[in-house]
Amino acid sequence: MTSPALDHVPSPALDSGPPSALDRAPSPALGGALSPAIGRASAPEAGAGSASPAPAFPAPADAAQVLRRCRELVAPALSEAIGTLHPWVAEMARYALGRCEVGGAPADHGQGKGVRQALAVLGAEVALGPAEAGVPAAVAVELVHVFSLLHDDIMDGDALRRGRPAVWKAYGTGPAVLAGDALFALAVETTAFTPQAGSAVRQLTAALGDLVRGQADDLLFADRPWTGPDAVTAGEYEVMAERKTGALLGCAPALGARLAGAPDRTVTALDRAGRHLGVAFQIADDVLGIWGDPSLTGKPVHSDLRQGKKTLPVLAALGGAGYGELHELLMAANSMDESGVRRAAALVERAGGRAAAVRAARRRLAAADALLAGLPLAQEPAAELRTLLSSLADRTV
């Protein structure tokens, strides 16, 4: 349900042939074409009011250091929470986190970067609270994230997760569903035992509701036509992405801030900023799914075109003139050969689909930046938060 790329894709450079004008940026990574220099003042989001220029922050730690600091802070509480589950279910949870093999033998596989954990901790810190105040939020959003991946792999039929058999392949479909359900329940329980239990649970469950709505929309998109009155529009796509990917990225800093005692205005703004980031990241993932370098993305080149996914670059291209050949290719996506997918990718770019997607992502990043610039945030953690958001947009973590 959530975008797994957030946790394990390294900084992929695009493999796209001659770049469009929008993509000619100093950085060869995708975000070099997307990032509006998060941390500078940007035009405010419609309805957000005027945002004053961002203050000059002290030089922050790099994103990798921020992620490591937050993971190390959260790890004991996350382990303790998982330890309260039924032993078999706890084993599956640890397996999903890369901490054990099937059967429970300790392991140290990749556990993801902990982006949502870091956002929750930083949410507490920017609201002038201690980092520890954000730990329950970090545990809750990480549990939801893992739960969503367990169920997502089943729905998509993905046999591998981070280079290992997915939980449903390792333990069976029924046990994987059970483990996901247990993590979902544990996430809610975690927020229910905080001092702000009522508002915290409402914050988390609202994000969960949106995540499910986004996943439902994404599944239904697959059965809708590419063109005509029933075709998926770019607007519908962005609503789906905000729910599916953005809901949890918004909930993380907002819940951390709420547990630190932040006012509703700050909580709401952080939630909206995270949602904008989620849409931008999902769009970036779409661009990489067509033009990304397989050695860096871990996905075959043009993989989304081969699967016939309704991604923003393709939808935008179909919204222009002269899409007839592209439509014919997409209708036979499952049987396209290598020359066919290359031709489809070229047609999407020629029709402006890639450039339109980059512009849409930039708008979302600018909106997130404006929301942060308009808040009275603690300077050093705010600088770390901006560094993390910018690095995520630039795909450098």
Side-chain angles (χ1 to χ4, degrees), residues 6-325:
L6 273 172
D7 280 330
H8 68 280
V9 171
S11 49
L14 291 179
D15 177 24
S16 59
S20 65
L22 278 172
D23 290 327
R24 295 190 189 103
S27 169
L30 175 63
L34 298 184
S35 175
I38 287 181
R40 301 183 213 156
S42 306
E45 179 194 37
S50 298
S52 57
F57 293 121
D62 65 37
Q65 290 175 320
V66 174
L67 290 168
R68 184 168 55 252
R69 173 178 72 86
C70 294
R71 279 199 311 270
E72 290 174 354
L73 176 67
V74 174
L78 180 60
S79 179
E80 181 180 356
I82 290 173
T84 66
L85 297 172
H86 183 285
W88 186 42
V89 175
E91 179 191 316
M92 287 187 278
R94 293 190 183 98
Y95 177 90
L97 288 166
R99 296 177 181 175
C100 77
E101 307 290 358
V102 174
D108 188 18
H109 297 285
Q111 300 175 18
K113 290 183 170 59
V115 169
R116 293 156 193 82
Q117 298 176 48
L119 289 174
V121 171
L122 291 172
E125 291 181 320
V126 298
L128 303 175
E132 290 76 12
V135 168
V139 171
V141 295
E142 185 67 14
L143 292 171
V144 169
H145 175 55
V146 178
F147 136 71
S148 72
L149 294 182
L150 264 60
H151 285 192
D152 206 31
D153 286 343
I154 295 169
M155 285 184 279
D156 293 344
D158 289 338
L160 295 177
R161 167 68 59 183
R162 295 176 186 147
R164 293 203 301 164
V167 173
W168 71 275
K169 291 295 288 184
Y171 290 87
T173 300
V177 171
L178 177 65
D181 292 347
L183 294 173
F184 168 44
L186 184 58
V188 175
E189 180 182 346
T190 299
T191 56
F193 282 93
T194 62
Q196 299 87 355
S199 59
V201 169
R202 286 192 295 272
Q203 185 95 43
L204 183 66
T205 55
L208 281 164
D210 276 350
L211 189 154
V212 170
R213 291 183 185 94
Q215 180 69 6
D217 287 339
D218 195 30
L219 291 172
L220 290 171
F221 284 178
D223 295 325
R224 291 173 60 178
W226 285 105
T227 59
D230 294 326
V232 178
T233 67
E236 288 178 305
Y237 168 94
E238 290 200 34
V239 170
M240 178 278 295
E242 181 174 326
R243 290 169 171 170
K244 178 182 175 181
T245 304
L248 202 55
L249 287 175
C251 178
L255 187 56
R258 185 177 295 283
L259 296 184
D264 286 343
R265 172 176 175 268
T266 297
V267 171
T268 299
L270 289 172
D271 179 77
R272 289 170 61 199
R275 285 171 179 263
H276 284 305
L277 173 68
V279 177
F281 193 94
Q282 187 62 59
I283 294 170
D285 212 44
D286 288 352
V287 174
L288 290 170
I290 299 176
W291 296 284
D293 181 345
S295 68
L296 297 171
T297 66
K299 298 164 64 173
V301 67
H302 306 140
S303 60
D304 285 353
L305 284 176
R306 295 177 189 277
Q307 296 173 33
K309 286 190 176 181
K310 292 183 172 67
T311 61
L312 189 59
V314 177
L315 296 176
L318 290 171
Y323 59 77
E325 183 184 356

Side-chain angles (χ1 to χ4, degrees), residues 336-390:
M336 269 197 290
D337 58 16
E338 184 61 30
S339 63
V341 292
R342 287 185 180 277
R343 177 63 177 165
L347 289 170
V348 171
E349 184 153 13
R350 182 184 302 171
R354 178 174 178 172
V358 169
R359 287 195 298 271
R362 283 175 169 169
R363 285 195 299 271
R364 290 289 184 158
L365 291 171
D369 190 33
L371 287 162
L372 294 180
L375 292 174
L377 304 177
Q379 286 194 0
E380 290 191 28
E384 291 188 333
L385 178 60
R386 288 171 181 273
T387 296
L388 181 57
L389 297 188
S390 182

